[in-house]
Amino acid sequence: MTEYVAHYRSLDSDSRHVSGMFTFTSDARLGTKANAHDARLRMLEEFGNDALSWTIYQIDRKRANTDQMDGQQQLDFREPVKKRRRSTQRGLV
């Protein structure tokens, strides 16, 4: 089973705007109706009746946490690339 992240939000006409994301697992491929159905069921299980009017607008595959920074800044000490200046006056001799 693959883990996915679903992003949800309430309708614009709702008096209190709600948005967020949650994780779920599914056997279905990304972008299929079965995958969206699994996301909807997981949202209803997690949030209950409050989630009836919410919509899921994006589903992504959950990525590994290897690209997260550990609080250390990444500095680049290389020399800047020198760009060639071009003449903008054309037709003059």
Side-chain angles (χ1 to χ4, degrees):
M1 293 186 93
T2 308
E3 285 196 29
Y4 296 97
V5 177
H7 303 268
Y8 64 90
R9 64 178 164 216
S10 62
L11 300 175
D12 291 336
S13 62
D14 196 7
S15 61
R16 53 187 182 105
H17 185 72
V18 178
S19 65
M21 60 184 173
F22 62 92
T23 60
F24 69 99
T25 58
S26 177
D27 285 334
R29 292 183 315 176
L30 182 65
T32 60
K33 287 183 181 181
N35 186 277
H37 180 72
D38 291 341
R40 183 76 180 160
L41 287 178
R42 177 68 181 127
M43 184 175 68
L44 291 173
E45 288 172 0
E46 190 171 331
F47 300 109
N49 289 339
D50 296 335
L52 288 176
S53 63
W54 300 348
T55 59
I56 297 173
Y57 65 92
Q58 183 179 5
I59 299 175
D60 298 322
R61 187 171 283 118
K62 187 173 182 180
R63 302 286 180 203
N65 292 337
T66 57
D67 61 341
Q68 282 186 341
M69 293 180 57
D70 58 355
Q72 185 76 13
Q73 272 190 339
Q74 295 179 353
L75 300 175
D76 188 9
F77 292 105
R78 295 179 289 183
E79 292 291 325
V81 178
K82 294 181 180 176
K83 294 184 180 177
R84 192 175 124 200
R85 299 184 86 175
R86 296 184 184 193
S87 175
T88 59
Q89 296 178 347
R90 296 188 178 203
L92 298 177
V93 180

